[in-house]
Amino acid sequence: MLTYKNNNPYIEGTSLYDLVKVCETPFYAYSQKKIVDQVNKTKQILGKNIFYSIKSNSNQAILKLMNSLDIGADVVSIGELKRALEAGFDPNKIIFEGVGKSKQDLLYAMHKNIRLINTESLEEIKLLDSLANDKNKIVDIGVRLNPDIDGETLSKISTGKKTDKFGIEINNLDKIIELVKSCKSLNLIGISCHIGSQISKIEAYKNTFNQMKKAADKFMQSGIKIKHIDLGGGFHVKYKDSDPEFNIEMIKEELDNCFAQTNYELSFEPGRYLIAEAGVIVTSIITIKNNGGVNYLIVDAGMNTLIRPAMYGAHHEILAINLKSEESLEYSIAGPICESSDIFSKNVKLAKQEIGNLLVIKNTGAYGKVMSSNYNSRPLPSEILVNKDNYAIIYSPEKIEETIEADVIPSWL
Ligand code: LLP
C-alpha cells in the first residue's frame, strides 16, 4: 500500500509526511482505493450479496464508503445497527448476528424491519417469537448453524467447532424444525454459518458449503422454505510472506460445484478481507534501548492501539520509513504499555533507526482501531482516510482530560 516517490513514502497520492504534519502519531491511515478495489473484486467474483461485517472497522466514513459500493452490512449489536443505519444502509440490507442478543436488541432490530435476524439458540428463537407475537408482527429470521468444522485457524478466532459457543449444532436440525413450526410469529427463511476468521484451507470451505446445502435441503423437505444461505466471512488475509496463498476464486469454484443445481440465494459476510490490507498504523519511535542483547525500539503505538499481536499472537509486518541508512539491525518493536505482552514483533530486520523516526505497521485496517482502548490512560488513535492526493481525519479521539471528566466522584469522597 505504501509507495515511494523520490524516497518519500506515499499512500495513494498523499505523502505520509503530510499526514504526520496534521495528525499526532500513532494513527491509522486507510487507502480508499484499496477498499474500493477489494470490495469490487469480491462482488465480481462472489456476486452482489456481500454483507460487510462492520465489526472489523465501523468508522462512519468507512461505513458510508461501503454503503456507496452497494453492499449490505452484518451487525452484531444495537450499537453497530445504529452505526449502519446512520451511515445510510437500507434496513433491508442489514443482517443482525450475535450469540447474545438481549430482548432490547431484538425489539430494536424488529422495529427497524431489517432484512434478517440470525438467531443462535433455541431459547433465542422462543424469545423472538414471543416478542414478535406481542407486537403482532411476523418476523423473518435466519438460524446460525454450527457445522462442527475446524477451520484450522488461531484458536481464539475459531467459531465453527461444535464446542464453540456460536450457532446451533447442526445435528439439532430436527429440534429447530419442530420449534420453528410451533412459532406463530416467525418465518424461517435463511440459514447462516461462520466457522472462524483467517480461514485459508479450501477443504474447510468445501465441507462447510456441503453441510449447509444438506441442512437447507433438509429444511426444505420439512416444508420450511429456505431462501437464503449465508456462508459467513473469514476469508484469509496474507499477513506474512510464509502465509498460505489464498484467493477467493477458489471459493467461487467450490461454490459452483456445491450449489450449481439449487435456487438458494447465497451470501457472504466478510470483514477483514475487505479492509485489512487497506490500513496501516503510523507510529513514531519514542526511544531505543538494548536490554540483555535485545535491541528494542519503543514506539508510541501499543497494545492499546493494536491488540492483535498481544491477544492472538498475530503477526503484522513492520516497515521502516527511512530507507537511507546502509546499516541494518535486528530489532524488537514494542509499545509503551506496562505489560510484557506489549510487543508487536521480535527480530525484525530494519535499517538502523533513530529516535523520532516513523515506522509503519501493515495490514491493520481490520480489527485495529475498533479494538483499541484507553489502557494506561492513553488516548485512542486517530484515523485518516486517504483518497488520491486528498485526505480527511475521520476520527479524532477525545482528549484524555475529557476521558477523566467522564468518571464520576461519589459524594462521600
Ligand atoms: N460473520 C460472523 C458471524 C463473525 O463472527 C465474523 C467475525 C465475521 C462474519 C467476519 O469475519 P472476517 O471476515 O472478518 O474474518 N478480532 C479478531 C477477529 C474476530 C472475528 C470475529 N467474527 C482478529 O483480530 O483477528
Side-chain angles (χ1 to χ4, degrees):
M1 214 189 70
L2 219 56
T3 52
Y4 280 84
K5 287 182 208 161
N6 307 324
N7 269 343
N8 284 328
Y10 277 74
I11 296 175
E12 299 193 15
T14 299
S15 160
L16 209 68
Y17 293 128
D18 285 345
L19 301 185
V20 174
K21 276 185 214 148
V22 297
C23 193
E24 269 179 41
T25 60
F27 60 82
Y28 282 84
Y30 310 111
S31 157
Q32 176 159 326
K33 180 174 184 333
K34 179 73 192 158
I35 300 171
V36 172
D37 288 351
Q38 196 70 359
V39 170
N40 285 338
K41 173 180 156 188
T42 308
K43 275 168 61 182
Q44 206 178 11
I45 297 171
L46 294 180
K48 61 183 172 44
N49 290 314
I50 301 295
F51 295 83
Y52 169 53
S53 189
I54 84 167
K55 64 171 81 75
S56 56
N57 188 325
S58 54
N59 181 292
Q60 290 306 121
I62 300 292
L63 295 186
K64 246 195 136 98
L65 174 63
M66 292 294 188
N67 186 38
S68 76
L69 299 173
D70 203 21
I71 54 178
D74 157 37
V75 305
V76 291
S77 68
I78 288 197
E80 284 194 352
L81 179 49
K82 287 185 176 170
R83 277 187 176 274
L85 292 169
E86 179 69 30
F89 281 92
D90 179 344
N92 192 33
K93 282 167 74 178
I94 300 177
I95 49 180
F96 191 9
E97 313 262 347
V99 69
K101 300 180 214 72
S102 69
K103 203 165 156 177
Q104 286 72 22
D105 291 338
L106 294 170
L107 282 170
Y108 187 75
M110 242 165 58
H111 170 64
K112 290 292 171 188
N113 292 320
I114 62 168
R115 177 187 177 93
L116 215 53
I117 301 175
N118 278 336
T119 52
E120 294 216 20
S121 67
L122 298 174
E123 288 307 316
E124 189 179 37
I125 297 175
K126 287 182 208 160
L127 173 62
L128 191 53
D129 185 46
S130 80
L131 296 176
N133 199 24
D134 289 350
K135 299 272 174 206
N136 270 328
K137 274 192 156 193
I138 302 290
V139 175
D140 285 344
I141 64 158
V143 172
R144 177 171 172 179
L145 299 173
N146 181 326
D148 193 22
I149 288 171
D150 184 356
E152 294 181 46
T153 180
L154 299 170
S155 64
K156 286 185 182 155
I157 52 177
S158 162
T159 54
K161 287 182 276 176
K162 73 174 176 197
T163 48
D164 291 328
K165 69 177 175 180
F166 300 97
I168 304 180
E169 244 190 278
I170 206 153
N171 294 335
N172 279 345
L173 293 192
D174 288 333
K175 280 192 194 151
I176 302 172
I177 291 168
E178 191 188 328
L179 174 60
V180 166
K181 285 192 167 170
S182 74
C183 291
K184 290 194 208 81
S185 304
L186 301 182
N187 201 8
L188 176 61
I189 59 163
I191 56 172
S192 75
C193 68
H194 173 76
I195 63 164
S197 239
Q198 274 296 75
I199 310 293
S200 60
K201 294 250 165 71
I202 198 65
E203 276 303 302
Y205 288 99
K206 190 175 166 180
N207 290 342
T208 307
F209 296 169
N210 285 329
Q211 293 266 34
M212 293 297 282
K213 180 179 173 293
K214 263 200 240 154
D217 289 348
K218 182 158 179 170
F219 279 115
M220 293 294 266
Q221 281 150 19
S222 80
I224 294 175
K225 295 219 161 43
I226 298 295
K227 273 200 329 213
H228 313 285
I229 304 184
D230 173 348
L231 296 158
F235 304 155
H236 188 272
V237 164
K238 202 169 160 89
Y239 285 103
K240 31 180 160 166
D241 291 344
S242 58
D243 276 355
E245 283 306 325
F246 174 82
N247 58 53
I248 51 171
E249 283 91 352
M250 300 188 306
I251 294 185
K252 170 68 176 151
E253 219 176 289
E254 290 306 331
L255 204 63
D256 289 346
N257 289 342
C258 181
F259 292 101
Q261 309 298 327
T262 69
N263 288 322
Y264 300 120
E265 189 189 80
L266 306 172
S267 58
F268 289 92
E269 45 190 50
R272 185 192 316 269
Y273 190 74
L274 301 184
I275 193 152
E277 290 173 280
V280 294
I281 294 172
V282 180
T283 181
S284 309
I285 298 174
I286 302 174
T287 193
I288 300 180
K289 63 198 278 187
N290 185 297
N291 270 9
V294 179
N295 285 322
Y296 278 104
L297 296 179
I298 309 289
V299 296
D300 57 6
M303 62 193 286
N304 60 315
T305 318
L306 174 73
I307 202 170
R308 302 194 71 254
M311 190 162 169
Y312 310 115
H315 176 85
H316 287 266
E317 208 180 309
I318 300 182
L319 303 177
I321 293 302
N322 66 323
L323 299 175
K324 288 177 206 141
S325 171
E326 302 279 300
E327 199 183 339
S328 79
L329 282 176
E330 213 163 78
Y331 290 107
S332 281
I333 299 161
I337 299 295
C338 301
E339 296 264 356
S340 307
S341 56
D342 185 27
I343 293 211
F344 289 117
S345 225
K346 292 180 178 168
N347 313 322
V348 186
K349 229 177 186 169
L350 294 180
K352 188 162 186 250
Q353 293 300 307
E354 289 167 21
I355 291 174
N357 282 1
L358 297 174
L359 298 181
V360 161
I361 310 179
K362 279 181 69 184
N363 298 332
T364 47
Y367 306 110
K369 161 63 180 43
V370 281
M371 294 181 80
S372 63
S373 78
N374 286 120
Y375 187 38
N376 279 197
S377 289
R378 290 177 176 274
L380 299 181
S382 306
E383 292 171 290
I384 301 178
L385 184 63
V386 175
N387 180 20
K388 300 180 188 137
D389 57 357
N390 205 354
Y391 61 84
I393 296 181
I394 57 170
Y395 178 77
S396 293
E398 64 178 12
K399 300 214 169 359
I400 214 66
E401 289 74 13
E402 295 168 89
T403 312
I404 294 171
E405 262 175 35
D407 289 352
V408 177
I409 313 282
S411 60
W412 62 88
L413 287 178

